[in-house]
Amino acid sequence: MINPSNNLTSSSDDFSGNFVSRRLFFFFLGDIQVLELVLAFLVFIAINSLRQKKRRGLPVWPVLGMLPSLVLGLRNNMYEWISDVLCQQNGTFRFRGPWFSSLNCLVTADPRNLEHLLKTKFPNFPKGNYFRGTVRDLLGDVIFNADDETWQRQRKTASIEFHSTKFRQLTAESLLELVHSRLLPVLEKALNNSISIDLQDILLRLTFDNVCMIAFGVDPGCLSLGLPQIPLARAFEDATEATVLRFVTPTCIWKAMRYLHLGAEKKLRRSIEGVDEFAEQVIRTRKKELSMQSCDDKKQRSDLLTVFMGLKDESGQPFSDKFLRDICVNFILAGRDTSSVALSWFFWLLDQHPQIVKERQDFDPKTPLAFRAEEIKKLDYLQAALSEALRLYPSVPVDQKEVIEDDIFADGSMLKKGTKVIYAIYTMGRMEAIWGKDCREFRPERWLKEGRFMSESAYKFTAFNGGPRLCLGKDFAYNQMKFAAASIIYRYHMKVVKDHPVVPKPALTMYRKHGLKVNLLRRDQSQLLT
């Protein structure tokens, strides 16, 4: 017998179950529709952003701008990434950073734009507040980080000293001493013991000792047998690495990290403290020495620190210790990294192109082992090879300016007041429009005319900058590189260790991330680069 109450209960349960099922069905259906709408919206944003790549060079994402592409570029070879974009965009493109950042800028590798920037409208393109603020903790407010009258006064003083006979004699003597009493013994020891060396590290030690002697009149002894760890050299390298990170980090973030003493900013502060401690000690010692010397003794010293100690600022007062520290740090940074980094890439290129050396067999084997200044000047092919290395791997791969007043570049790019302009020196060496279809080949002959070295326009070959800010130490750098390279090549063949990785490290100068590991072989003196 069927119980009516049971039927009623069962019907009620069925109804309730169906009602709940329908609610759940429509609930999930609604969620699916929302999800589809969200996915469709995201796909639309992605397609729209990617469609802008052809016109703008990189995808432009909402809020983030081109930052995702920059992050990916930094993970590999940043300079090749920039070059790919610039070559696709005919030499110029605008980088759009996140809404909340100061990373917006115009990036160019067009020689016409560089001539406008560095020469024609030079006063309209200073380093600018952004650049000065980013590197001020390390470089202060002197020559390489200064603008206007401050920069002009300091450059004039430094220029007079750089071109003085006494200064040239000091640099030549110190380099001769360092190469023959330190560099060559270190290389000979590695050869005799059949051990690999990091040539980039060796060359950095050489140029650091040399420039410290020129700037401070102090020998830190980095390039001694045993290759001791020098806290000052380590502090310099750490400081430059931490400083360059600021250029790819939103200003508000790195300033917050500096305030909280975190991450790279903590490393930077600690490194700068080490640099300051060294500089302050040297300045104190030098002042004490000078106070105890006669006028004639003071005139005999020609290092930059002593020269600037004898000068007055615009108000007629002696320069402050902070200024003296900054001027020496600037010159050490410029003189240490540029030549050593260039030589490192140069020797790597020689290993990749051994025929460059073998084809040059007109070297006189009777030439003395210690090259004289007049002999170095005659090494045109060597200067051509070094220039070709700098064309492909410039020591300063990118540089920056800021626009004071609205302007327009030769290629038609509009420049608004406050715009940051990045000029990609690395990219210029890889543009067919500038150097021809063989632009990526290492070919020193492109610098020779009837066997003599012929320089190129500073707006085509910008390794030493151009215009009023043309590198003061250009001649010094070439002499330093040629003397060190000739002394090494005359004696040794550098063979790069098999499968050694070749990756540039993001920094103010173009370090190799993994150094340059080489094995040394004794050179047959009939196969020499001249």
Side-chain angles (χ1 to χ4, degrees):
M1 184 176 180
I2 299 174
N3 189 334
S5 61
N6 289 340
N7 287 338
L8 184 60
T9 302
S10 176
S11 298
S12 176
D13 290 343
D14 288 344
F15 177 78
S16 299
N18 289 337
F19 178 75
V20 171
S21 297
R22 291 191 189 94
R23 289 286 299 274
L24 289 173
F25 172 77
F26 285 113
F27 177 77
F28 286 118
L29 180 62
D31 275 359
I32 292 172
Q33 290 174 338
V34 170
L35 180 61
E36 288 178 343
L37 288 172
V38 171
L39 289 174
F41 179 69
L42 292 176
V43 169
F44 170 78
I45 289 176
I47 292 174
N48 185 58
S49 298
L50 292 171
R51 284 177 63 186
Q52 296 182 62
K53 180 178 180 179
K54 185 174 182 180
R55 183 163 59 93
R56 300 183 184 275
L58 293 171
V60 183
W61 302 94
V63 182
L64 296 177
M66 296 178 176
L67 183 62
S69 298
L70 174 62
V71 172
L72 290 174
L74 289 172
R75 292 179 62 184
N76 299 300
N77 187 330
M78 180 178 71
Y79 308 116
E80 282 293 332
W81 169 74
I82 292 174
S83 298
D84 289 343
V85 178
L86 283 170
C87 289
Q88 293 169 11
Q89 296 299 113
N90 297 318
T92 303
F93 83 101
R94 292 185 185 276
F95 182 86
R96 301 177 185 276
W99 291 351
F100 54 85
S101 78
S102 56
L103 296 180
N104 297 303
C105 59
L106 184 133
V107 187
T108 187
D110 190 320
R112 299 170 300 168
N113 294 345
L114 263 69
E115 185 169 4
H116 185 93
L117 179 87
L118 299 174
K119 176 186 172 184
T120 309
K121 289 291 191 72
F122 171 75
N124 196 38
F125 297 94
K127 287 288 187 179
N129 293 329
Y130 174 78
F131 183 89
R132 290 199 303 273
T134 303
V135 303
R136 180 176 286 118
D137 289 343
L138 175 60
L139 299 183
D141 291 299
V142 298
I143 189 164
F144 297 116
N145 194 32
D147 287 317
D148 305 324
E149 293 181 5
T150 302
W151 166 77
Q152 290 177 2
R153 286 193 302 270
Q154 294 170 9
R155 183 180 174 89
K156 182 178 180 180
T157 301
S159 179
I160 293 172
E161 183 61 21
F162 263 66
H163 292 95
S164 70
T165 302
K166 186 168 58 174
F167 184 81
R168 289 175 181 271
Q169 184 178 356
L170 169 69
T171 57
E173 290 174 353
S174 64
L175 184 59
L176 178 68
E177 173 69 16
L178 285 170
V179 167
H180 284 273
S181 67
R182 297 189 190 178
L183 174 63
L184 295 179
V186 166
L187 298 181
E188 190 67 20
K189 180 180 178 182
L191 174 67
N192 293 335
N193 293 336
S194 300
I195 58 174
S196 300
I197 58 169
D198 181 354
L199 186 60
Q200 177 174 266
D201 177 62
I202 299 295
L203 293 170
L204 280 166
R205 290 170 179 270
L206 169 69
T207 54
F208 190 73
D209 280 356
N210 194 25
V211 77
C212 278
M213 293 165 74
I214 294 167
F216 283 114
V218 171
D219 179 7
C222 288
L223 190 59
S224 303
L225 287 176
L227 304 178
Q229 287 296 321
I230 306 296
L232 174 62
R234 180 78 259 173
F236 259 94
E237 190 164 333
D238 289 345
T240 57
E241 287 181 23
T243 297
V244 80
L245 288 176
R246 290 181 171 183
F247 286 99
V248 294
T249 306
T251 303
C252 59
I253 293 179
W254 70 254
K255 284 189 173 181
M257 292 175 65
R258 180 177 64 179
Y259 179 78
L260 296 171
H261 201 45
L262 298 174
E265 290 298 316
K266 180 179 180 180
K267 179 180 180 182
L268 177 60
R269 184 182 298 181
R270 189 186 307 119
S271 301
I272 291 175
E273 286 173 355
V275 173
D276 290 347
E277 182 180 351
F278 168 81
E280 289 167 4
Q281 180 180 353
V282 171
I283 291 168
R284 279 197 309 270
T285 303
R286 181 60 43 74
K287 283 185 173 181
K288 186 176 180 180
E289 290 173 353
L290 293 175
S291 67
M292 300 172 64
Q293 291 178 347
S294 66
C295 292
D296 290 338
D297 291 332
K298 293 177 183 178
K299 290 178 181 179
Q300 289 177 3
R301 301 197 68 119
S302 57
D303 58 86
L304 290 171
L305 176 60
T306 304
V307 169
F308 276 94
M309 277 184 171
L311 301 176
K312 308 290 184 182
D313 61 20
E314 57 271 22
S315 61
Q317 299 298 316
F319 286 115
S320 67
D321 288 358
K322 174 66 168 60
F323 173 88
L324 295 172
R325 173 267 184 206
D326 290 346
I327 201 78
C328 290
V329 167
N330 274 247
F331 279 104
I332 288 176
L333 187 65
R336 169 192 183 246
D337 291 2
T338 50
S339 295
S340 56
V341 167
L343 281 169
S344 180
W345 287 105
F346 167 74
F347 278 106
W348 177 76
L349 285 166
L350 284 190
D351 179 72
Q352 303 299 304
H353 304 83
Q355 75 282 1
I356 296 294
V357 176
K358 290 181 179 179
E359 288 174 358
R360 306 300 300 180
Q361 297 184 5
D362 53 351
F363 197 95
D364 182 2
K366 297 179 182 178
T367 300
L369 295 183
F371 292 95
R372 296 188 297 268
E374 57 270 24
E375 292 171 328
I376 292 295
K377 288 180 181 179
K378 295 178 182 178
L379 300 179
D380 287 273
Y381 193 86
L382 177 54
Q383 183 157 350
L386 286 166
S387 298
E388 184 70 346
L390 281 165
R391 182 184 71 83
L392 290 168
Y393 298 99
S395 298
V396 180
V398 296
D399 208 343
Q400 177 180 308
K401 299 286 187 179
E402 191 171 305
V403 183
I404 293 181
E405 298 294 341
D406 292 357
D407 206 339
I408 181 170
F409 268 154
D411 67 357
S413 300
M414 302 298 295
L415 302 167
K416 295 293 184 182
K417 178 180 179 180
T419 300
K420 292 186 288 294
V421 178
I422 307 293
Y423 51 106
I425 303 168
Y426 178 92
T427 300
M428 295 180 71
R430 287 159 175 73
M431 295 192 70
E432 290 187 12
I434 301 176
W435 296 99
K437 292 187 179 297
D438 63 351
C439 59
R440 287 181 174 266
E441 296 179 18
F442 178 66
R443 194 170 67 82
E445 289 75 15
R446 76 175 79 240
W447 296 87
L448 298 174
K449 186 175 182 179
E450 298 179 356
R452 305 299 297 174
F453 175 79
M454 296 294 291
S455 188
E456 287 284 358
S457 163
Y459 314 108
K460 176 180 177 180
F461 175 63
T462 320
F464 293 97
N465 222 314
R469 279 192 181 264
L470 180 69
C471 177
L472 280 173
K474 179 180 178 180
D475 291 341
F476 166 72
Y478 265 123
N479 287 332
Q480 185 185 52
M481 290 188 295
K482 288 170 72 175
F483 186 81
S487 300
I488 294 171
I489 293 170
Y490 189 91
R491 296 165 174 81
Y492 308 107
H493 171 68
M494 301 284 184
K495 184 64 180 175
V496 178
V497 171
K498 186 178 179 181
D499 297 326
H500 183 67
V502 182
V503 184
K505 178 168 60 175
L508 294 176
T509 48
M510 200 170 176
Y511 289 110
R512 298 169 63 97
K513 187 175 183 179
H514 304 287
L516 181 62
K517 289 286 186 180
V518 300
N519 293 314
L520 281 75
L521 301 172
R522 188 89 52 199
R523 171 79 67 186
D524 176 356
Q525 291 187 359
S526 67
Q527 298 177 343
L528 296 164
L529 188 68
T530 62

